[in-house]
Amino acid sequence: MHPCPFCSIAAGRGPARMIFEDDHTLVFFPLVPATLGHTLVVPRLHAPDLWAMAPTEVERLLSTALRVGAALRDHLAPEGMNLIHSAGSAASQTVFHAHVHLVPRWQGDTMGPMWPGDGAEVRDTAELDALADEMAALLFPPTPPKA
């Protein structure tokens, strides 16, 4: 098993262009950025993704991401910005320590489009309607009638 590169950075042993840190988060530029200003926001505590973290740790991570994202927008004035969290290899996660990418965007930048184009698979509307109903029931179960 390979050591976690983000844990190494948190311990002060890994290479990073550090721009901010506090008791809970680290903020640094990746060694090979996707665009100018591409930034990683990483929790100090190791967890594979957001769903493995305590809610308070997720709140701290995202609060730092919002603060850094605002600074990037003010300083670089990009045309847009992606905030990306990938969970699992099917979602393109390559470092299995939770992290958020802040990617300033400009028309025609090297990052390219995030979503499928016009040739994307069109899903069956009945399947989508059923999934919407199932998720609504999971998130907001019906309340029992009052006696």
Side-chain angles (χ1 to χ4, degrees):
M1 174 145 188
H2 298 288
C4 173
F6 293 167
C7 288
S8 294
I9 292 169
R13 293 189 306 267
R17 292 182 185 99
M18 191 71 62
I19 61 172
F20 175 80
E21 59 184 298
D22 63 19
D23 291 342
H24 304 283
T25 56
L26 306 167
V27 181
F28 52 92
F29 294 141
L31 299 177
V32 182
T35 65
L36 179 66
H38 176 188
T39 304
L40 297 175
V41 183
V42 178
R44 283 189 179 275
L45 295 177
H46 184 88
D49 57 46
L50 295 181
W51 290 272
M53 296 171 63
T56 55
E57 289 299 317
V58 174
E59 290 169 10
R60 290 176 178 135
L61 180 72
L62 295 180
S63 176
T64 299
L66 288 173
R67 179 179 173 198
V68 173
L72 285 167
R73 285 180 19 170
D74 290 348
H75 187 66
L76 295 175
E79 296 173 18
M81 186 171 318
N82 290 117
L83 183 142
I84 304 165
H85 170 73
S86 299
S89 57
S92 302
Q93 185 179 12
T94 58
V95 177
F96 294 90
H97 180 125
H99 58 286
V100 173
H101 294 260
L102 294 166
V103 186
R105 301 296 305 271
W106 291 269
Q107 292 294 328
D109 65 28
T110 58
M111 180 80 172
M114 291 279 302
W115 304 107
D118 293 335
E121 175 186 0
V122 177
R123 304 296 295 202
D124 175 28
T125 57
E127 178 184 30
L128 294 174
D129 291 342
L131 180 58
D133 291 342
E134 293 163 6
M135 292 305 300
L138 288 170
L139 294 169
F140 303 103
T143 55
K146 294 181 179 179

